[in-house]
Amino acid sequence: MEPEEKTPESKYGEARKFDPTFKGPIYNRGCTDIICCILFILALLGYFAVGILAWTQGDPRKVIYPTDSKGQFCGQVGTELEKKPLLFYFNILKCASPLVLLEFQCPTTQICVEKCPDKFMTLVKALKKNDDREYYKQFCKEGVDMNRKAPEILKDGLCPSILTPSKNFTRRCLPALETLKGGVVVVGNQTTYMDDKGENINATDLLEASKKSNVVVEARAVAMRIFEDYTQSWHWILLGLVIAMLVSLIFLLLLRCLAGVMIWVMIIMVIIVIGYGVFHCYMQYASLKGEAGSDVTIKDLGLQTDFSVYLQIRQTWLAFIIILCIVEVVIILLLIFLRKRILIAIALIKEASKAIGHVMSSLFYPLLTFALLTLVISYWAITAVFLSTSNEPIYKVFNTTECPFSRYTCDPKTFNSSNVTTECPDAECLFAFYGGETIYHKYLILFQFYNLFLFFWCVNFVTALGQVTLAGAFASYYWAFKKPDDIPAFPVFNSLGRALRYHTGSLAFGSLILAIVQVIRVILEYMDQKLKGAQNKCAKFLLSCLKCCFWCLEKFIKFLNRNAYIMVAIYGKNFCTSAKDAFFLLMRNIVRVVVLDKVTDFLLFLGKLLIVGIVGICSFFFFTGKFKVAEDIAPSLNYYWVPILTVVFGSYLIAHGFFSVYAMCVDTLFLCFLEDLERNDGTVDRPYFMPESLLSILKKSNEGLKTVD
């Protein structure tokens, strides 16, 4: 006899039974996942220890200031080099050496100077006149006697043999090179110049040396320009984020009062905003027709540090047009095919609006989440900077002739009295890089990894705390039979207290699982970057599959955690039991999940998109000076996209934070709704806790499903 096939109820657990004593979130509960709670506390103590260790060992000045051959910081306030903020290379041609790519250090003497040289001059020529001698002296080592002969000075490495016109580039004096029409490279309006030995040096050689000397500082140049833009525009960025916060809050308040109307207004506005984006990009594309250089392709242009260059070619705007058109078409098609489900989802959002209306304090809870996330991100960033700058200066032997001690580690204090100078007269002990050989420096990479792992863990914990708190508050609303009389006082505050007192371990457990997956994804991305130039296609394919699998796993865990936290907030059980109960409940009602839950997520995403679009367009017109009223007060920037992208990204996070209240409300009501259907049948003895309007949504969803089928 064949065994009976399991029904959905038995396969995914039994449905909830009627319990006349159940009135919502249980108050008599105990602590859950205590071991994970203790582990989380110990991990935090270790995190604080790593932070203290990094702050005592690190020195952020290594990031801010350039370093001379003695390891001193140029331009540092309170030192003898305070008035010498620029780094000068004795022989920039040596920077063309492959050593630069291996050790990220130019093998020539480097000193701090007040200003860069602005004319050609050799040491031999400078020693003939007093004025030239004094001018040349500022580019020599301290204490040099300019009355000595040029060969003696050069032998001791006290002065450069020649000066070339230079410009300040990221606090470094690099040759003032220009490229004329036809690709001719000049320095100081000359294609060649003569050194002190009477040899002609081509300006193209200087260009190659400048590029090699900049192999490390090019990224820093962009970073410094971006930093300058932030210093010029931070208050406007802050104003933009405040406006985004106000717009989000006003939007949610309007959604509370006019949910149906606001949803349709939101849908239409999103289509209009994206349509305007297509129109604006087309106008820019058309205006560049016939302009010199506008037909250059992005591939031919390559990677440029000045990103505004890309906006001067037509292909960039064409790409924007195509992307926005695809987004517009996809949204319109989704709205057409999901029109019936959207009507049902709007009704569910209306119920969520009623719940938020009775728990208004929930709208302000994201401010606490923002504050905690800001604290976590700031701690991680500061610790990472201090860890990366906690190395000690390492000095190595640099020379121009054959030397057995070449690239050996040396001590500048005892170098002149060592036997190295005897065997290698031209050798110098110069600063090479920051490193170290102590136990602390050996395990520095592990400290950085621990810092990253705890960052993910803490961020996920803060997010989980917000989800449990809001879920408990909205569950209190749902399971109140007489609304709003039976809703407990201060539902958000009480829910937050229960979460911290009883379920810190459960929140830490769910956050830990998610953090592990996220760290694995970071490692896979790192491996992918390392294998960019590899020829092994099998390894690339395997890595791509792993990245895809772990991306899907992260999304699934986030979904499971979210629903598990709702069950934790209601029943007070441990994380694993709550996750199982939530998953089985959803699987027993998988049809309703597809019909209702995800469509509401889509509508709320359109709301975020609308807020980001409005704030983004306004910031674009402001920072590019297209607002005539604000043209005079708009800051002068290197990259105007820096504040625009910051405002857009920040606006999305703010909108996401506020809309997460609605999303959590919808998810909690939906899960409670499914529980209510299983516990009760709508009779006098077992009445539904849901209002009649919510019950009608179920009927509509079932009818809509039959129509779709």
Side-chain angles (χ1 to χ4, degrees):
M1 186 175 179
E2 293 183 4
E4 292 184 7
E5 187 179 349
K6 288 186 177 181
T7 62
E9 278 105 5
S10 60
K11 185 177 180 181
Y12 296 110
E14 295 184 0
R16 295 281 184 184
K17 303 298 183 182
F18 173 71
D19 182 3
T21 63
F22 181 75
K23 301 296 181 182
I26 296 171
Y27 286 87
N28 296 323
R29 56 179 73 193
C31 296
T32 56
D33 297 302
I34 299 174
I35 295 176
C36 203
C37 178
I38 295 171
L39 181 64
F40 183 60
I41 293 172
L42 292 175
L44 285 179
L45 293 175
Y47 198 21
F48 293 144
V50 169
I52 293 170
L53 189 63
W55 298 340
T56 55
Q57 298 288 330
D59 190 353
R61 295 175 302 175
K62 298 171 185 175
V63 178
I64 302 171
Y65 302 106
T67 311
D68 68 4
S69 296
K70 296 181 179 179
Q72 302 175 109
F73 301 114
C74 299
Q76 183 188 345
V77 178
T79 66
E80 59 182 14
L81 298 177
E82 180 178 355
K83 295 182 179 180
K84 296 182 177 182
L86 307 176
L87 189 68
F88 173 73
Y89 298 89
F90 269 27
N91 189 354
I92 191 69
L93 288 173
K94 289 187 178 180
C95 296
S97 166
L99 178 69
V100 177
L101 300 176
L102 297 174
E103 297 189 353
F104 304 111
Q105 178 65 17
C106 189
T108 186
T109 303
Q110 301 161 41
I111 63 170
C112 300
V113 296
E114 188 175 346
K115 62 179 181 179
C116 297
D118 55 7
K119 54 186 174 182
F120 286 109
M121 187 177 294
T122 63
L123 178 60
V124 175
K125 181 182 177 182
L127 294 178
K128 295 178 180 179
K129 295 181 180 180
N130 288 332
D131 292 342
D132 291 344
R133 186 185 293 117
E134 289 301 317
Y135 176 81
Y136 208 96
K137 187 177 181 180
Q138 63 183 320
F139 303 106
C140 298
K141 290 183 178 180
E142 288 288 336
V144 62
D145 183 5
M146 298 299 288
N147 293 318
R148 297 171 62 186
K149 298 293 185 182
E152 295 177 359
I153 295 175
L154 294 175
K155 180 183 177 182
D156 294 336
L158 300 175
C159 291
S161 62
I162 189 171
L163 300 179
T164 58
S166 304
K167 290 182 179 179
N168 173 13
F169 183 72
T170 64
R171 299 192 181 189
R172 287 161 174 79
C173 293
L174 297 179
L177 296 164
E178 296 179 15
T179 305
L180 303 179
K181 290 184 178 180
V184 179
V185 180
V186 297
V187 55
N189 294 322
Q190 298 182 36
T191 56
T192 61
Y193 65 94
M194 189 174 293
D195 64 7
D196 59 325
K197 297 179 182 178
E199 298 177 358
N200 281 329
I201 297 177
N202 199 320
T204 308
D205 298 333
L206 278 178
L207 177 63
E208 181 65 23
S210 297
K211 287 180 178 178
K212 288 289 183 68
S213 69
N214 244 4
V215 70
V216 181
V217 301
E218 181 68 22
R220 181 179 290 180
V222 177
M224 289 301 293
R225 292 194 195 111
I226 291 174
F227 180 75
E228 288 174 4
D229 287 344
Y230 278 126
T231 59
Q232 294 290 326
S233 61
W234 67 269
H235 49 290
W236 295 111
I237 293 173
L238 195 60
L239 180 62
L241 297 180
V242 170
I243 291 173
M245 188 179 296
L246 291 175
V247 171
S248 300
L249 196 56
I250 292 170
F251 193 90
L252 290 184
L253 290 173
L254 290 173
L255 201 60
R256 156 73 183 91
C257 304
L258 305 165
V261 175
M262 286 301 297
I263 290 293
W264 286 113
V265 169
M266 176 183 69
I267 291 171
I268 295 169
M269 286 294 292
V270 166
I271 294 173
I272 292 174
V273 168
I274 297 176
Y276 174 78
V278 174
F279 170 75
H280 179 79
C281 292
Y282 175 77
M283 294 302 293
Q284 293 291 332
Y285 174 78
S287 66
L288 289 174
K289 187 176 182 180
E291 293 286 334
S294 63
D295 292 329
V296 176
T297 63
I298 296 175
K299 184 178 180 181
D300 293 338
L301 193 61
L303 181 62
Q304 301 291 327
T305 55
D306 185 1
F307 296 99
S308 62
V309 174
Y310 294 105
L311 301 180
Q312 298 173 15
I313 58 177
R314 302 185 77 203
Q315 194 179 69
T316 303
W317 294 104
L318 181 62
F320 288 157
I321 293 170
I322 294 171
I323 293 169
L324 289 176
C325 284
I326 291 173
V327 172
E328 183 88 320
V329 170
V330 168
I331 290 176
I332 292 173
L333 289 176
L334 284 173
L335 291 173
I336 292 172
F337 289 111
L338 297 176
R339 61 189 183 279
K340 291 185 177 179
R341 296 185 182 184
I342 286 173
L343 293 173
I344 299 170
I346 289 174
L348 187 59
I349 291 175
K350 286 181 180 179
E351 290 303 318
S353 298
K354 293 179 183 178
I356 291 174
H358 290 296
V359 191
M360 285 296 290
S361 56
S362 61
L363 286 177
F364 300 95
Y365 184 84
L367 297 177
L368 176 61
T369 302
F370 291 148
L372 292 175
L373 286 177
T374 302
L375 182 65
V376 171
I377 294 170
S378 300
Y379 185 88
W380 164 76
I382 293 171
T383 303
V385 169
F386 274 86
L387 281 173
S388 62
T389 58
S390 58
N391 291 312
E392 298 173 349
I394 301 298
Y395 299 87
K396 290 197 173 186
V397 177
F398 289 93
N399 59 286
T400 54
T401 59
E402 191 94 15
C403 179
F405 300 100
S406 179
R407 310 300 174 252
Y408 277 36
T409 303
C410 59
D411 185 354
K413 295 179 181 178
T414 60
F415 181 74
N416 290 332
S417 59
S418 66
N419 62 336
V420 178
T421 53
T422 306
E423 296 190 32
C424 310
D426 65 330
E428 292 181 280
C429 183
L430 304 178
F431 168 76
F433 54 85
Y434 287 103
E437 298 180 353
T438 64
I439 296 177
Y440 170 75
H441 293 106
K442 287 180 180 178
Y443 292 100
L444 199 56
I445 186 67
L446 292 179
F447 290 146
Q448 285 283 24
F449 179 81
Y450 187 76
N451 182 35
L452 179 67
F453 179 72
L454 262 293
F455 166 72
F456 282 124
W457 196 357
C458 291
V459 166
N460 292 327
F461 180 85
V462 171
T463 305
L465 178 62
Q467 291 174 344
V468 168
T469 300
L470 293 174
F474 293 129
S476 298
Y477 161 83
Y478 184 93
W479 295 108
F481 191 74
K482 294 181 180 178
K483 301 176 179 64
D485 298 336
D486 292 345
I487 300 174
F490 310 111
V492 174
F493 183 78
N494 289 334
S495 182
L496 177 61
R498 288 196 302 270
L500 291 174
R501 181 179 178 183
Y502 299 110
H503 305 303
T504 300
S506 296
L507 301 182
F509 191 10
S511 305
L512 175 63
I513 297 171
L514 188 56
I516 291 172
V517 174
Q518 288 171 335
V519 167
I520 292 174
R521 287 194 63 202
V522 170
I523 293 172
L524 290 174
E525 288 292 341
Y526 175 77
M527 292 173 63
D528 188 36
Q529 292 297 322
K530 288 293 183 182
L531 292 174
K532 283 287 185 185
Q535 301 298 322
N536 193 331
K537 293 184 178 180
C538 182
K540 288 182 178 180
F541 175 76
L542 181 61
L543 194 60
S544 298
C545 291
L546 286 173
K547 286 170 63 179
C548 180
C549 290
F550 276 96
W551 180 84
C552 295
L553 180 61
E554 182 184 354
K555 295 299 178 184
F556 175 74
I557 290 175
K558 283 183 176 180
F559 172 77
L560 189 62
N561 281 8
R562 188 181 182 85
N563 290 285
Y565 294 145
I566 296 173
M567 302 302 274
V568 168
I570 297 173
Y571 294 103
K573 296 181 180 180
N574 62 49
F575 177 79
C576 291
T577 302
S578 299
K580 183 192 73 173
D581 292 344
F583 180 72
F584 282 178
L585 178 62
L586 292 172
M587 291 304 295
R588 290 196 298 268
N589 299 271
I590 189 64
V591 172
R592 296 188 182 108
V593 173
V594 174
V595 171
L596 293 177
D597 200 37
K598 294 302 140 190
V599 180
T600 56
D601 288 346
F602 171 68
L603 292 179
L604 294 176
F605 172 73
L606 289 182
K608 300 175 198 175
L609 209 61
L610 176 61
I611 292 171
V612 171
I614 292 172
V615 177
I617 289 173
C618 292
S619 63
F620 172 78
F621 279 109
F622 175 78
F623 287 112
T624 55
K626 296 187 183 295
F627 276 143
K628 296 298 181 182
V629 178
E631 192 173 2
D632 295 332
I633 60 174
S636 178
L637 304 170
N638 296 304
Y639 309 124
Y640 65 78
W641 52 264
V642 169
I644 294 173
L645 289 182
T646 305
V647 170
V648 167
F649 182 70
S651 298
Y652 179 80
L653 292 180
I654 290 170
H656 177 74
F658 279 102
F659 274 86
S660 66
V661 175
Y662 253 91
M664 201 67 208
C665 182
V666 169
D667 288 347
T668 303
L669 293 181
F670 184 64
L671 222 59
C672 292
F673 168 76
L674 298 178
E675 286 259 328
D676 197 7
L677 286 175
E678 291 187 348
R679 286 179 177 275
N680 306 301
D681 57 10
T683 61
V684 177
D685 296 330
R686 296 167 60 183
Y688 288 125
F689 281 78
M690 72 186 83
E692 288 294 328
S693 56
L694 194 58
L695 183 60
S696 66
I697 294 175
L698 171 64
K699 294 178 181 179
K700 288 181 181 178
S701 66
N702 286 336
E703 291 171 3
L705 181 66
K706 290 175 183 177
T707 304
V708 172
D709 292 341

